[in-house]
């Protein structure tokens, strides 16, 4: 945008000359970079809004049909964001899936009941509850399947597993320090002892993850681990 500005100083016409000169001054020169900043802010907001819409629809498709149910065409159709724009932000379907899944399966808080048995029971009950109700529980099997063939998704699977199992590592270290577990007991031993039976029942036998079953899993794990 440009404005006309009256000329003063040496370029102003001599007295008696009725002609008044004007020169064109750009908006940027007159007002600085504020208009450019406002324009940039507007673009950033639109970009963020588009990315959020794409990620939301990707996660909806993941929840409904697993990784196999996600295509760029369908994400574009449902989000209203063009495929060109999607590929500008994510160079591949796998890259989009990685970001869409990056926040699922947040680690539960680490309990501190004062004993390894109490901590293990609290963590196992929380894991069972997530398997019953959290959206990631419906998505994880397809991530495991895709990880066998796509390296990017294998990394996603490894990160998700590490995030979910991290609290078991904390309570394991604490129990070893208190002498409640042998020094050679590792986090993998503990998490496998409780997560294995829960995962089997959730995705294979599809039996209920009720309180009685969770209690038996904890009791059996404590017998084997000590």
């Amino acid at each position: 945008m440009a404005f006309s500005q009256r000329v003063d100083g040496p370029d102003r016409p001599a007295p008696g000359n009725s002609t008044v000169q004007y020169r064109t001054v750009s908006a940027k020169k007159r007002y600085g970079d504020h208009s450019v900043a406002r324009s940039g802010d507007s673009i950033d907001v639109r970009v963020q809004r588009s990315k959020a819409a794409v990620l939301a629809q990707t996660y909806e498709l993941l929840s409904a049909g697993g990784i196999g149910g996600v295509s760029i065409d369908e994400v574009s159709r449902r989000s209203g964001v063009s495929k060109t724009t999607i590929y500008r932000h994510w160079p591949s379907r796998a890259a989009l899936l990685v970001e869409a899944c990056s926040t699922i399966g947040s680690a539960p808080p680490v309990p501190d009941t004062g004993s390894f048995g109490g901590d293990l029971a609290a963590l196992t009950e929380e894991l069972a509850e997530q398997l019953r109700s959290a959206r990631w529980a419906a998505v994880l099997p397809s991530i495991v399947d895709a990880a066998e063939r796509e390296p990017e998704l294998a990394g996603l699977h490894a990160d998700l597993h590490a995030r979910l199992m991290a609290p078991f590592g904390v309570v394991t270290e604490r129990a070893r320090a208190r002498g409640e577990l042998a020094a050679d007991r590792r986090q993998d031993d503990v998490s496998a002892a409780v997560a294995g039976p829960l995962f089997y029942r959730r995705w294979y036998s599809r039996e209920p993850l009720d309180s009685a079953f969770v209690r038996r899993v904890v009791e059996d794990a404590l017998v084997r681990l000590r």
Side-chain angles (χ1 to χ4, degrees):
M1 181 181 294
F3 300 88
S4 293
Q5 177 173 302
R6 183 168 175 161
V7 176
D8 293 310
D11 294 329
R12 188 172 182 177
N17 188 342
S18 60
T19 303
V20 178
Q21 296 180 355
Y22 291 84
R23 63 167 172 255
T24 300
V25 180
S26 70
K28 184 174 181 180
K29 184 175 180 181
R30 187 171 181 180
Y31 295 117
D33 293 330
H34 297 298
S35 61
V36 176
R38 285 195 297 270
S39 175
D41 290 345
S42 177
I43 292 171
D44 288 344
V45 170
R46 291 199 300 271
V47 168
Q48 293 305 317
R49 187 182 300 123
S50 294
K51 291 181 72 173
V54 168
L55 291 170
Q57 291 305 318
T58 301
Y59 195 72
E60 288 293 332
L61 290 168
L62 276 167
S63 299
I67 283 180
V70 178
S71 70
I72 299 296
D73 285 340
E74 185 63 12
V75 171
S76 175
R77 187 188 70 80
R78 292 175 61 138
S79 67
V81 179
S82 70
K83 290 195 293 182
T84 301
T85 299
I86 293 174
Y87 280 119
R88 188 179 303 131
H89 298 301
W90 299 278
S92 66
R93 172 178 172 270
L96 174 58
L97 288 168
V98 167
E99 184 164 353
C101 294
S102 63
T103 59
I104 68 174
S106 58
V110 179
D112 189 1
T113 65
S115 71
F116 175 62
D119 292 345
L120 189 63
L123 281 177
T124 307
E125 289 164 2
E126 174 61 25
L127 179 58
E129 177 57 30
Q130 290 198 32
L131 287 169
R132 286 191 291 263
S133 59
R135 295 177 73 181
W136 66 261
V139 177
L140 186 56
S142 66
I143 295 177
V144 174
D145 177 63
E148 291 294 314
R149 293 176 293 280
E150 299 184 58
E152 286 181 89
L153 296 179
L156 168 65
H157 176 227
D159 290 344
L160 177 58
H161 173 77
R163 192 159 62 243
L164 290 171
M165 296 296 111
F168 288 94
V170 176
V171 301
T172 299
E173 289 293 336
R174 189 188 293 154
R176 284 206 302 254
R178 289 192 298 233
E180 295 177 280
L181 284 178
D184 61 349
R185 282 298 186 191
R186 303 181 307 163
Q187 172 190 334
D188 291 348
D189 299 326
V190 175
S191 56
V194 295
L198 298 186
F199 288 174
Y200 178 84
R201 183 165 277 215
R202 172 62 175 84
W203 291 310
Y204 291 94
S205 71
R206 302 188 66 83
E207 298 172 79
L209 288 168
D210 53 49
S211 298
F213 175 74
V214 173
R215 188 165 52 252
R216 288 198 304 273
V217 167
V218 173
E219 291 170 354
D220 291 346
L222 290 173
V223 169
R224 293 197 303 273
L225 293 169
R226 285 172 170 166

